[in-house]
Amino acid sequence: MTSLWLESRTETEPAPLHSVDFSASPDVVIVGAGLTGLVCGLECARAGVSVTLLDAFGVAELTTGLTTAKASCLQGKKLTEISKTHDMDTVREYAAVNQSALAWLREFCAESGVDVQTRAAYSIAQDASTLPAVEQEAEVARAAGLAVESARGAPFDFAPFPIAGFVSLNEQAQFDPVSVALALAEEIRARGGQIYEGIRVLGVSTSGSAVVHTTGGDITTDRVVLATGTPILDRGGFFAKLEPERSYLTAYAVPSEALQPEGMYISIDEPDIAPTRSLRSAPGHLLVGGNGHVVGRSSNTRANVRDLITWTGHYFPEVAPTHQWSAQDYSSVDGLPVAGALTPTNSTVLFASGYAKWGMTNGVAAARILAARLTGRSAPGEDLFDSQRSMAVRHFPSFAALNAKVGLNVGKSWAKIARSLPQPPAEGDGEVHHDGLRPVATSTVDGQTRTVSAVCPHLKGVLCWNSAERSWDCPLHGSRFAPDGTLLEGPATQDLAQSSTPNWKGAVNR
């Protein structure tokens, strides 16, 4: 599961691993070197604020390096969804904030020499029953100030995949997200900022000066930004206001540019009508994504990937699959991103989340808001994205439904633990079972069978095996772990505890 972007990345001056100067006290420590952390870091550095970025893996190694990288102010049926729970002033502001973020991103890429392809964005109906939703999105988008077009049928004389109708917005953008991230990192370093890779943050103390606790030591700072997808600190309770979702992406080599879509497409049909499909071109490639689900709540993730490949082979028989991968993002209970203080009484720790898979614009907007708070300036969307707005109270039905699902999965996950495991899992499989009274998780990957604790260290959810990515995923709040228990992402900050692998007497590895 390697992304097209990460496999082809180039970096002339990679940051040395584990080289943090723990005696330094930067003004701001940013946890996470994805798009949000990098844009925030650059805006701080441009304002003369000393900044240090820490990432457990590396620049753009997680969500940013795994995204479809479509920067658009037309976002499926997002504007309609916002209009159902907010007034039109909120919808207009959301559109304007995204337009401002897109303009910032274009300007940065132009100054840095990063290639950006201008494309029209399309929200499409695959099935005729979805046409009313397309027409409603067009109506709301126009009311929000976007110059959209809409029609029934396909936008071109020929479309190889089903399109019953569409709404479109010209002058949107697509690019290689890793190239953008590396350019951001380069300017941060040029302005005196520090970026350290391979350093995991374990916690933050905020009595007096902030102290960031890492796997290598402690760093003292004035302010901390958590640009980690979801906060890795629970003190704000945002794990209960955010829902983690994974979605899948596949890339295909194309023998001719004529086989590449002329725009960026996202279908908006309900899943029971037609599964989500997201398409865009990349140099020499066609990208097809979709089949998203809440983390840890898909019974067969391999099938999600196979379905994308089968669908693409049907409508684009000339292309050849080259890459497949998945990415994780979070949605808030009121449908808007969040950016600001982690708690209402202390602004030492800031964070951003809730981009709902539209992070190329929302992530930039959130990063500018965080940087504005750190530098005493202003940025578009500060009140709109404010993390301390009353999400749970004003949108209680969504809040209650989200957490009811979490509670349901607590019971389901504990109930399905096998009493015992009679033999090792087959290659690529994992099973949760009992070792005495303890639930443990055993998997076989690349011929090696490993057993770790089956309980997520975050809030004690029982993990589920992700067969497509060969990882242990938590169905409660989205923490993910490698087969050996190494933490990959999510609100957890600790690896899974190691357990002894059962002794299968006479069992043959299937």
mmCIF file of all heavy atoms in Angstrom, residues 208-226:
data_model
loop_
_atom_site.group_PDB
_atom_site.id
_atom_site.type_symbol
_atom_site.label_atom_id
_atom_site.label_comp_id
_atom_site.label_asym_id
_atom_site.label_seq_id
_atom_site.Cartn_x
_atom_site.Cartn_y
_atom_site.Cartn_z
ATOM 1 N N GLY A 208 3.064 26.166 33.811
ATOM 2 C CA GLY A 208 4.161 27.082 33.510
ATOM 3 C C GLY A 208 4.439 27.027 32.021
ATOM 4 O O GLY A 208 3.528 27.062 31.204
ATOM 5 N N SER A 209 5.701 26.921 31.645
ATOM 6 C CA SER A 209 6.035 26.766 30.226
ATOM 7 C C SER A 209 5.572 25.404 29.735
ATOM 8 O O SER A 209 5.500 24.445 30.489
ATOM 9 C CB SER A 209 7.546 26.906 30.018
ATOM 10 O OG SER A 209 7.989 28.194 30.390
ATOM 11 N N ALA A 210 5.269 25.342 28.462
ATOM 12 C CA ALA A 210 4.875 24.058 27.893
ATOM 13 C C ALA A 210 6.103 23.181 27.731
ATOM 14 O O ALA A 210 7.171 23.647 27.328
ATOM 15 C CB ALA A 210 4.196 24.271 26.552
ATOM 16 N N VAL A 211 5.962 21.917 28.050
ATOM 17 C CA VAL A 211 7.030 20.940 27.873
ATOM 18 C C VAL A 211 6.495 19.816 26.995
ATOM 19 O O VAL A 211 5.495 19.175 27.339
ATOM 20 C CB VAL A 211 7.530 20.382 29.214
ATOM 21 C CG1 VAL A 211 8.640 19.355 28.971
ATOM 22 C CG2 VAL A 211 8.034 21.503 30.112
ATOM 23 N N VAL A 212 7.155 19.615 25.869
ATOM 24 C CA VAL A 212 6.760 18.557 24.945
ATOM 25 C C VAL A 212 7.608 17.333 25.243
ATOM 26 O O VAL A 212 8.836 17.370 25.138
ATOM 27 C CB VAL A 212 6.956 19.007 23.480
ATOM 28 C CG1 VAL A 212 6.533 17.897 22.523
ATOM 29 C CG2 VAL A 212 6.162 20.282 23.215
ATOM 30 N N HIS A 213 6.958 16.245 25.612
ATOM 31 C CA HIS A 213 7.659 15.009 25.956
ATOM 32 C C HIS A 213 7.741 14.120 24.718
ATOM 33 O O HIS A 213 6.721 13.778 24.108
ATOM 34 C CB HIS A 213 6.912 14.278 27.075
ATOM 35 C CG HIS A 213 6.627 15.139 28.267
ATOM 36 N ND1 HIS A 213 7.611 15.600 29.109
ATOM 37 C CD2 HIS A 213 5.454 15.652 28.733
ATOM 38 C CE1 HIS A 213 7.071 16.345 30.071
ATOM 39 N NE2 HIS A 213 5.761 16.397 29.856
ATOM 40 N N THR A 214 8.947 13.749 24.324
ATOM 41 C CA THR A 214 9.142 12.951 23.118
ATOM 42 C C THR A 214 9.928 11.687 23.439
ATOM 43 O O THR A 214 10.436 11.514 24.551
ATOM 44 C CB THR A 214 9.904 13.750 22.039
ATOM 45 O OG1 THR A 214 11.301 13.725 22.331
ATOM 46 C CG2 THR A 214 9.424 15.188 21.959
ATOM 47 N N THR A 215 10.042 10.840 22.442
ATOM 48 C CA THR A 215 10.823 9.610 22.607
ATOM 49 C C THR A 215 12.305 9.894 22.802
ATOM 50 O O THR A 215 13.051 9.010 23.241
ATOM 51 C CB THR A 215 10.640 8.706 21.373
ATOM 52 O OG1 THR A 215 10.837 9.487 20.182
ATOM 53 C CG2 THR A 215 9.240 8.115 21.341
ATOM 54 N N GLY A 216 12.748 11.094 22.468
ATOM 55 C CA GLY A 216 14.167 11.406 22.620
ATOM 56 C C GLY A 216 14.488 12.295 23.798
ATOM 57 O O GLY A 216 15.641 12.397 24.219
ATOM 58 N N GLY A 217 13.492 12.960 24.359
ATOM 59 C CA GLY A 217 13.716 13.888 25.459
ATOM 60 C C GLY A 217 12.616 14.938 25.489
ATOM 61 O O GLY A 217 11.623 14.852 24.754
ATOM 62 N N ASP A 218 12.788 15.956 26.351
ATOM 63 C CA ASP A 218 11.791 17.000 26.521
ATOM 64 C C ASP A 218 12.234 18.292 25.840
ATOM 65 O O ASP A 218 13.422 18.633 25.829
ATOM 66 C CB ASP A 218 11.548 17.281 28.008
ATOM 67 C CG ASP A 218 10.889 16.104 28.719
ATOM 68 O OD1 ASP A 218 10.379 15.205 28.011
ATOM 69 O OD2 ASP A 218 10.899 16.088 29.963
ATOM 70 N N ILE A 219 11.255 19.016 25.285
ATOM 71 C CA ILE A 219 11.506 20.312 24.670
ATOM 72 C C ILE A 219 10.620 21.342 25.347
ATOM 73 O O ILE A 219 9.402 21.159 25.446
ATOM 74 C CB ILE A 219 11.195 20.296 23.157
ATOM 75 C CG1 ILE A 219 11.991 19.197 22.457
ATOM 76 C CG2 ILE A 219 11.496 21.644 22.533
ATOM 77 C CD1 ILE A 219 11.626 19.042 20.999
ATOM 78 N N THR A 220 11.221 22.419 25.805
ATOM 79 C CA THR A 220 10.471 23.510 26.425
ATOM 80 C C THR A 220 10.117 24.549 25.364
ATOM 81 O O THR A 220 10.946 24.905 24.523
ATOM 82 C CB THR A 220 11.299 24.171 27.541
ATOM 83 O OG1 THR A 220 11.628 23.179 28.522
ATOM 84 C CG2 THR A 220 10.515 25.290 28.209
ATOM 85 N N THR A 221 8.883 25.027 25.403
ATOM 86 C CA THR A 221 8.417 25.973 24.400
ATOM 87 C C THR A 221 7.307 26.838 24.983
ATOM 88 O O THR A 221 6.804 26.561 26.082
ATOM 89 C CB THR A 221 7.902 25.221 23.151
ATOM 90 O OG1 THR A 221 7.546 26.159 22.151
ATOM 91 C CG2 THR A 221 6.704 24.359 23.473
ATOM 92 N N ASP A 222 6.933 27.887 24.261
ATOM 93 C CA ASP A 222 5.833 28.735 24.704
ATOM 94 C C ASP A 222 4.483 28.183 24.272
ATOM 95 O O ASP A 222 3.510 28.208 25.024
ATOM 96 C CB ASP A 222 5.993 30.161 24.150
ATOM 97 C CG ASP A 222 7.231 30.856 24.691
ATOM 98 O OD1 ASP A 222 7.588 30.576 25.851
ATOM 99 O OD2 ASP A 222 7.821 31.667 23.958
ATOM 100 N N ARG A 223 4.400 27.692 23.017
ATOM 101 C CA ARG A 223 3.134 27.224 22.481
ATOM 102 C C ARG A 223 3.350 25.924 21.722
ATOM 103 O O ARG A 223 4.436 25.661 21.187
ATOM 104 C CB ARG A 223 2.527 28.272 21.525
ATOM 105 C CG ARG A 223 2.431 29.674 22.104
ATOM 106 C CD ARG A 223 1.324 29.812 23.131
ATOM 107 N NE ARG A 223 -0.004 29.751 22.540
ATOM 108 C CZ ARG A 223 -0.617 30.790 21.983
ATOM 109 N NH1 ARG A 223 0.015 31.967 21.871
ATOM 110 N NH2 ARG A 223 -1.852 30.668 21.511
ATOM 111 N N VAL A 224 2.292 25.141 21.627
ATOM 112 C CA VAL A 224 2.343 23.842 20.950
ATOM 113 C C VAL A 224 1.174 23.762 19.973
ATOM 114 O O VAL A 224 0.052 24.159 20.298
ATOM 115 C CB VAL A 224 2.264 22.680 21.961
ATOM 116 C CG1 VAL A 224 2.265 21.328 21.227
ATOM 117 C CG2 VAL A 224 3.400 22.754 22.958
ATOM 118 N N VAL A 225 1.433 23.241 18.784
ATOM 119 C CA VAL A 225 0.390 22.992 17.791
ATOM 120 C C VAL A 225 0.357 21.491 17.499
ATOM 121 O O VAL A 225 1.386 20.892 17.187
ATOM 122 C CB VAL A 225 0.650 23.762 16.480
ATOM 123 C CG1 VAL A 225 -0.322 23.310 15.392
ATOM 124 C CG2 VAL A 225 0.526 25.260 16.713
ATOM 125 N N LEU A 226 -0.825 20.904 17.623
ATOM 126 C CA LEU A 226 -1.015 19.500 17.274
ATOM 127 C C LEU A 226 -1.595 19.427 15.864
ATOM 128 O O LEU A 226 -2.793 19.628 15.654
ATOM 129 C CB LEU A 226 -1.954 18.820 18.266
ATOM 130 C CG LEU A 226 -1.547 18.881 19.741
ATOM 131 C CD1 LEU A 226 -2.595 18.192 20.605
ATOM 132 C CD2 LEU A 226 -0.172 18.266 19.967
#
